[in-house]
Amino acid sequence: MKKKTLTHLFTWLFCLGSATAFSQTGTITISNNSNTTINKNIYGQFAEHLGHGIYGGFWVDKSLPVKKQDRIRLDVVEALKKIKIPNLRWPGGCFADEYHWRDGIGPKAQRPRMVNTNWGGVTEDNSFGTHEFLELCSLLKCEPYVAGNVGSGTVEEMSKWIEYLNSNSTSTVVQERAKNGHPEPYKVTFWGVGNESWGCGGNMTPEFYADQFKRYASFAKDYPGARLKKIASGPNSDDYNWTEVCMKNIPQYMMYGLSLHYYTIPTGQWGKKGSATSFSESEYFNTMVNCLKMEELVTKHSAIMDKYDPEKKVALIVDEWGVWTDPEPGTNPGFLFQQNSLRDALIAGTTLNIFNNHSDRVKMAALAQTINVLQSLILTDKEKIVLTPTYHVFDMYKVHQDAKYLPIKLDVPDYEVDGKKIAAVNASASQDAAGKIHISLVNLDIHHPITITTALQDIKWSAVSGQVLTSANVTNINTFADPNKIHLSNFTGAKKDGDKLVVTLPAKSIVTLELN
């Protein structure tokens, strides 16, 4: 009886992850030998006409008792300005290839209505269109990234949209823009030539799409002060042939970037993805395995791009990424509303570390999606607002935007579940214009704190401070009733030991350090 009791006690202590008894160790080496900048656009966002992302998220009813400009919700704007989102992708997603831009200009009462066939079959009233989106970007102080319609649109339609946005001539379409309230050109530069052309954007072959890209791009004209950065619709996940064909068949001078879409599906199966809030440790581990596949995807797609573009002139743009779970019970399944747990924050930190570490090729990305859809930064319910754990990761990581990338090597313990192993810790580092070093570390192990000793080669520093994001359980979430259950805290687990940095990462945590 006594032996059984001791066994149960040991098991209980193991699950708690006692810092004293079970702390593990690892080492990291950070070098100052780099000429690469972490492009701020890696920290971009995505807003599609889907569920309550636009309507009820950014664009709210006139009667809602919150501060607004027109119908743009300003507490949302201020929250996103705080984390310095650099770009916003719109209007989709799958919606982009059924969207006709002329439906979204002119007097709102006269705009035609349409059925959103991709997302819930709801009526789209087009009250949020081109001018409203660009006003939103102006308020956010971010770059607009427009996805043009290749699937159901025409070359002329896309060409005229660009002229409407960017020309300073006296053409009829420019006069129409002025009549609609904006005499000056918008000077939009990021331009997606279709979306997911392998799937909802037209079910094309890569060979057909490459020819379509060249055709559409030929008539997507540059205007004064607005040289287009044309982004090709790239591969789905591990479709390496798509990348090969596009890089081989599309001239580099026509293409600013090639997109990549990959979602972390907890189960790895589209039919039953798994719950956002209720999952076992085994399910959590498998989710992290699927998240870490991003490293493999970026590496292999980059290697193909290197064959055709060794100077890395064409950017890899991961403009849809994030965790995708089953919708919350009781919600419209076509609206893709899911809660956001500490697990999702660990996914965000890990993925952003991967992008930072591949910043020689990855120049832009977009989390899917900003508000109320998939792995959101913000959740809203009428006048209520919640900042998710993922939001706090972007707040922590904004220090890496446009900073010098510092190469990093890790020797860290494994996190093992059911006989399978992954590296327990991942990290990235940068140096900002003021000379400050920032190191972001993620401990995926839900039981064990891990002490990391860091060698900083040719880097002088004297003091360290930091922030940490963690919680008692990886299933914890912020809710409208308890919006600050998971929040940023000052981190005191790092110290200087001679010329080395020693940091103890709590279990299941994200930490960003600043070295002065």
Side-chain angles (χ1 to χ4, degrees):
M1 183 70 177
K2 195 175 288 185
K3 183 176 180 180
K4 186 175 181 181
T5 302
L6 286 172
T7 300
H8 287 168
L9 177 61
F10 179 81
T11 302
W12 179 73
L13 286 171
F14 180 81
C15 291
L16 284 178
S18 166
T20 303
F22 300 108
S23 181
Q24 300 183 13
T25 61
T27 60
I28 293 177
T29 301
I30 299 175
S31 169
N32 199 22
N33 182 23
S34 169
N35 294 315
T36 300
T37 297
I38 296 174
N39 196 309
K40 68 179 180 180
N41 286 306
I42 285 172
Y43 292 83
Q45 303 298 322
F46 175 33
E48 183 170 7
H49 287 241
L50 196 175
H52 295 301
I54 299 292
Y55 300 100
F58 283 114
W59 189 249
V60 296
D61 191 271
K62 291 179 180 179
S63 65
L64 191 71
V66 296
K67 289 185 178 180
K68 300 179 289 294
Q69 182 160 317
D70 194 356
R71 288 168 56 188
I72 296 173
R73 183 171 178 157
L74 293 182
D75 55 355
V76 165
V77 168
E78 291 306 311
L80 295 174
K81 282 171 63 178
K82 181 178 183 294
I83 61 173
K84 299 181 179 179
I85 71 164
N87 65 74
L88 185 62
R89 180 172 180 251
W90 172 87
C94 292
F95 182 79
D97 281 293
E98 66 175 355
Y99 182 68
H100 300 282
W101 67 272
R102 284 194 169 277
D103 293 347
I105 61 171
K108 294 183 182 65
Q110 298 176 20
R111 296 179 188 179
R113 294 170 176 254
M114 62 174 285
V115 177
N116 188 334
T117 61
N118 282 289
W119 305 119
V122 297
T123 299
E124 162 67 53
D125 70 3
N126 282 305
S127 61
F128 187 91
T130 294
H131 289 264
E132 291 76 25
F133 170 65
L134 291 167
E135 175 64 14
L136 172 61
C137 290
S138 177
L139 291 171
L140 290 168
K141 301 186 185 304
C142 77
E143 288 288 320
Y145 170 13
V146 175
N149 183 346
V150 170
S152 69
T154 66
V155 171
E156 181 185 21
E157 181 181 20
M158 185 181 291
S159 177
K160 288 297 184 184
W161 196 6
I162 295 166
E163 181 184 351
Y164 183 89
L165 292 169
N166 292 345
S167 177
N168 60 355
S169 70
T170 57
S171 70
T172 299
V173 74
V174 172
Q175 290 173 342
E176 188 176 8
R177 183 190 70 217
K179 181 182 177 182
N180 289 331
H182 207 277
E184 297 301 315
Y186 283 108
K187 298 183 179 180
V188 173
T189 60
F190 290 116
W191 196 266
V193 182
N195 166 79
E196 293 191 359
S197 299
W198 40 263
C200 64
N203 287 298
M204 303 176 193
T205 65
E207 291 81 6
F208 182 80
Y209 173 73
D211 286 342
Q212 289 293 92
F213 176 90
K214 288 183 286 187
R215 179 166 170 256
Y216 276 75
S218 294
F219 295 92
K221 302 295 186 180
D222 294 332
Y223 292 94
R227 183 175 177 82
L228 288 184
K229 297 173 181 174
K230 301 168 193 175
I231 298 165
S233 177
N236 177 26
S237 185
D238 58 359
D239 185 351
Y240 300 112
N241 180 59
W242 188 283
T243 297
E244 185 91 37
V245 171
C246 286
M247 292 301 297
K248 181 179 179 180
N249 293 354
I250 298 174
Q252 291 173 23
Y253 73 86
M254 297 185 80
M255 180 170 50
Y256 171 77
L258 182 71
S259 72
L260 167 65
H261 290 180
Y262 175 69
Y263 287 93
T264 296
I265 310 297
T267 64
Q269 300 174 1
W270 283 96
K272 181 67 176 174
K273 301 178 186 72
S275 170
T277 57
S278 179
F279 47 87
S280 66
E281 181 175 3
S282 179
E283 291 170 318
Y284 163 82
F285 182 89
N286 288 335
T287 303
M288 291 307 162
V289 169
N290 295 334
C291 166
L292 288 165
K293 187 179 179 183
M294 184 68 82
E295 172 71 34
E296 173 189 325
L297 295 173
V298 169
T299 299
K300 290 185 175 181
H301 285 294
S302 295
I304 295 168
M305 296 174 78
D306 288 347
K307 284 171 50 180
Y308 300 94
D309 176 30
E311 296 181 358
K312 301 182 188 296
K313 293 180 179 179
V314 179
L316 182 60
I317 296 174
V318 191
D319 55 16
E320 288 189 31
W321 68 271
V323 64
W324 192 332
T325 70
D326 294 329
E328 289 300 301
T331 66
N332 186 328
F335 284 6
L336 306 188
F337 175 79
Q338 64 191 48
Q339 249 295 353
N340 197 284
S341 68
L342 179 63
R343 177 184 68 175
D344 302 336
L346 294 163
I347 289 168
T350 298
T351 304
L352 291 171
N353 282 340
I354 292 169
F355 295 161
N356 287 348
N357 290 326
H358 287 273
S359 51
D360 61 335
R361 179 64 78 177
V362 178
K363 305 293 185 183
M364 192 172 183
L367 175 73
Q369 295 185 12
T370 317
I371 308 178
N372 294 328
V373 176
L374 300 176
Q375 188 173 351
S376 309
L377 299 177
I378 296 171
L379 304 178
T380 63
D381 179 17
K382 298 184 174 63
E383 72 277 8
K384 298 175 185 176
I385 183 171
V386 167
L387 305 179
T388 69
T390 296
Y391 173 93
H392 295 304
V393 172
F394 275 81
D395 195 10
M396 297 170 77
Y397 276 58
K398 66 188 178 187
V399 293
H400 296 298
Q401 292 189 21
D402 282 345
K404 176 184 175 182
Y405 166 67
L406 300 180
I408 192 166
K409 294 181 180 179
L410 289 78
D411 182 5
V412 297
D414 290 327
Y415 171 42
E416 182 176 352
V417 176
D418 299 334
K420 297 179 288 187
K421 298 178 180 179
I422 56 175
V425 176
N426 60 79
S428 64
S430 67
Q431 185 174 30
D432 68 16
K436 296 177 181 178
I437 306 295
H438 294 102
I439 308 169
S440 291
L441 306 107
V442 178
N443 182 3
L444 298 177
D445 191 322
I446 68 172
H447 300 297
H448 301 120
I450 299 176
T451 298
I452 301 292
T453 301
T454 304
L456 299 149
Q457 297 178 345
D458 303 318
I459 298 172
K460 294 182 179 180
W461 62 285
S462 59
V464 58
S465 59
Q467 291 181 305
V468 60
L469 188 72
T470 189
S471 193
N473 299 297
V474 287
T475 55
N476 282 354
I477 59 176
N478 290 338
T479 66
F480 297 109
D482 189 1
N484 296 309
K485 188 177 187 69
I486 303 176
H487 59 273
L488 288 179
S489 300
N490 289 331
F491 181 67
T492 58
K495 64 180 180 180
K496 197 173 193 296
D497 185 5
D499 61 350
K500 296 184 183 300
L501 169 69
V502 179
V503 53
T504 299
L505 303 171
K508 55 191 179 308
S509 70
I510 306 104
V511 170
T512 292
L513 302 174
E514 179 173 285
L515 277 59
N516 289 295

